[in-house]
Amino acid sequence: MTEPTTPLTTTNSAVLQPGPLVSVSALAKSFGHHEVLRSIDFEVAPGSVTVLIGPSGSGKTTVLRSLNALDVADAGVVRIGEVEVDFAQRPVTKQQVATLRAQSGMVFQSHHLFPHLTVLENVTAGPVLAQRRDRSEVAREALELLRLVGLEEKADAYPYQLSGGQQQRVGIARALAIKPQLMLFDEPTSALDPELVGEVLMVMKNLAAQGWTMVVVTHEIRFAQQVADQVLFMDGGVIVERGTPDEVLTRPRTERARQFLHRILDPLD
Amino acid sequence: MNEQTTQLVLDSLGPLLRATVTTTIPLTLISFVLGLALALGVALMRLSSVRVVSSVARIYISLVRGTPLLLQLFIIFYGLPALGVRFDPFPAAVLAFTLNVGGYAAEVIRSAILSVPKGQWEAASTVGMGYVTTLRRVVLPQAARTAIPPLSNTLISLVKDTSLASTIQVTELLRVAQEAAAPTYEFFVLYGVAAIYYWVVCLVLSFTQARLEERQNRYVAT
């Protein structure tokens, strides 16, 4: 997996796609008898930001985790770039999972930094330990990424010595270090103290401005309004509404979306 | 203590020290290192999702923990020759202690691996690491922190358990003390010297354990 962009189609043929970077079709997933996702379809244009919103339990995190097969869908097709996995065709091999996973960088809600490694080692872990790239070259790139997230002076600190917001920014740098085509964010600010949310959103906003393709699960409606190109509102395992931030967030068509937005924007009302 | 006894003690210090350094300590260390390697394998088997594999590991652990160590030594040294398998005393002891440590430490390592949060496996996987790399570079270093205190216990117990090898003709510390005491009936002082030697070895190990734990704690908030 030294080259995440190596063409490796896992189904039929490698067709160069001028269109969307990501396409998801008919994605379905159950945990036991509970249907978490039913027939999810969407596309993500290169360089665009897609924000998934919805009540907890609506399936948005499962959608995100299906994009890198941390959750293996029961059915449906996920394509990122030239890598396509059809989850209905069993078994889904380790090789397929690894190849799909290499296409995206993942930022977790509770960072999952490696506590026994320094900040720099966390960022270089993927390229050095997994991709077997040259250590000094990777370290240079990693310092560049730490500068991007405003933490180059913390390179030698251990994760426990950082604030929650700093830890999350290291998590972003670590994900960027594998040079993915796509960045995934799973509620990156939900576990943070309110005053630390801004610094993380700021970094994400900068990434979006630099042209990164991003899929973000979040409750930060203001972030979605400012940064998203596409907003997907999920409820009960389906995408209930989709469109521009203005369409979905300002003028929602469905009652469910209206109620949800009302609850998070005016919790006391 | 009369002069004769004093002389006997002084004369025994050298041979007992030699037995400690040339037999008790090597027997302990070799068995422990081999036992740990075995234990890691058994722990991973025990964690395997393949039924047969985890059952084999489970049965092995149960046998080791459910039978006396002395009996395990006897079976290997006195019992196996009946099946045509013959060991010299030292290798027989190494084998018995290795198998024993393998069983006990496997449970320690298994629970230490399980104590590492699942998110660590996921995060490692999202930056491209496979099972072996994740285990080696992410999970085991963190599991070590949890495992060091109980594994130190295993090691310190092993130092003392090696005295059981005296029963299969290994000339380790206790046996040399026995041999020195037998003709003179000075059991008290000679066994006393042997006890002090065991104790000193264990003290050194306890000290090393404390240093190791300190080192492991460098990356956690205290």
Side-chain angles (χ1 to χ4, degrees), chain A:
Chain A
M1 225 116 352
T2 45
E3 280 290 321
T5 48
T6 303
L8 203 162
T9 43
T10 43
T11 54
N12 307 323
S13 58
V15 186
L16 273 178
Q17 303 277 345
L21 177 66
V22 181
S23 18
V24 172
S25 57
L27 201 65
K29 169 84 179 165
S30 300
F31 290 116
H33 291 300
H34 179 53
E35 255 189 309
V36 194
L37 302 180
R38 15 189 163 183
S39 201
I40 298 292
D41 296 271
F42 66 93
E43 291 179 335
V44 177
S48 74
V49 176
T50 296
V51 169
L52 286 159
I53 59 168
S56 43
S58 60
K60 49 196 195 305
T61 288
T62 309
V63 167
L64 195 78
R65 288 169 58 90
S66 299
L67 291 178
N68 61 8
L70 280 180
D71 285 338
V72 178
D74 300 330
V77 179
V78 171
R79 182 187 60 77
I80 301 175
E82 293 167 4
V83 177
E84 185 171 288
V85 176
D86 182 349
F87 287 97
Q89 287 181 5
R90 294 294 164 141
V92 179
T93 66
K94 276 184 187 162
Q95 179 62 43
Q96 281 177 301
V97 167
T99 310
L100 182 67
R101 203 165 281 169
Q103 307 311 310
S104 57
M106 176 84 168
V107 177
F108 296 88
Q109 180 176 351
S110 39
H111 67 76
H112 298 328
L113 293 179
F114 306 128
H116 61 302
L117 301 180
T118 64
V119 164
L120 185 67
E121 288 167 341
N122 263 277
V123 179
T124 58
V128 171
L129 301 179
Q131 300 176 340
R132 306 262 173 228
R133 292 181 45 212
D134 175 65
R135 197 176 283 269
S136 59
E137 181 193 320
V138 169
R140 252 197 322 277
E141 288 176 10
L143 282 170
E144 198 57 48
L145 289 172
L146 285 175
R147 196 163 306 138
L148 183 71
V149 299
L151 287 173
E152 74 261 47
E153 80 283 7
K154 295 287 185 186
D156 296 321
Y158 282 100
Y160 83 91
Q161 296 167 313
L162 307 181
S163 73
Q166 292 172 331
Q167 289 169 337
Q168 206 53 294
R169 281 144 67 197
V170 176
I172 294 173
R174 176 177 72 177
L176 290 169
I178 64 167
K179 301 185 177 176
Q181 306 195 56
L182 169 73
M183 283 291 285
L184 306 175
F185 296 83
D186 184 12
E187 303 201 25
T189 59
S190 298
L192 296 180
D193 288 339
E195 79 270 23
L196 303 177
V197 167
E199 62 190 70
V200 176
L201 293 182
M202 220 38 216
V203 168
M204 292 168 63
K205 199 174 163 182
N206 287 340
L207 291 181
Q210 287 180 13
W212 279 91
T213 312
M214 298 164 47
V215 178
V216 185
V217 172
T218 187
H219 292 295
E220 299 294 335
I221 299 301
R222 297 244 307 140
F223 173 82
Q225 276 165 338
Q226 287 183 23
V227 181
D229 299 290
Q230 169 180 232
V231 176
L232 308 176
F233 169 71
M234 286 187 68
D235 194 15
V238 293
I239 297 174
V240 177
E241 282 204 40
R242 65 181 80 207
T244 63
D246 189 46
E247 286 165 345
V248 178
L249 302 173
T250 319
R251 295 177 279 109
R253 293 184 314 275
T254 61
E255 188 54 30
R256 279 195 281 181
R258 256 197 298 278
Q259 278 180 4
F260 171 77
L261 288 164
H262 184 70
R263 271 203 308 276
I264 52 174
L265 294 173
D266 265 315
L268 293 179
D269 193 25

Side-chain angles (χ1 to χ4, degrees), chain B residues 125-207:
Chain B
S125 152
T126 59
V127 297
M129 294 187 213
Y131 175 78
V132 175
T133 309
T134 304
L135 197 65
R136 225 164 64 82
R137 310 307 291 253
V138 174
V139 173
L140 289 181
Q142 293 179 63
R145 218 174 77 76
T146 321
I148 282 173
L151 287 181
S152 303
N153 263 340
T154 308
L155 175 59
I156 287 170
S157 296
L158 180 61
V159 172
K160 295 166 294 174
D161 287 344
T162 58
S163 62
L164 293 172
S166 63
T167 61
I168 61 164
Q169 301 162 25
V170 176
T171 48
E172 48 66 70
L173 175 53
L174 178 60
R175 187 165 177 106
V176 173
Q178 272 174 335
E179 285 169 352
T184 61
Y185 293 99
E186 293 285 1
F187 290 108
F188 181 73
V189 288
L190 283 165
Y191 286 167
V193 172
I196 289 168
Y197 278 153
Y198 279 115
W199 186 43
V200 169
V201 173
C202 291
L203 276 182
V204 171
L205 292 176
S206 298
F207 177 74

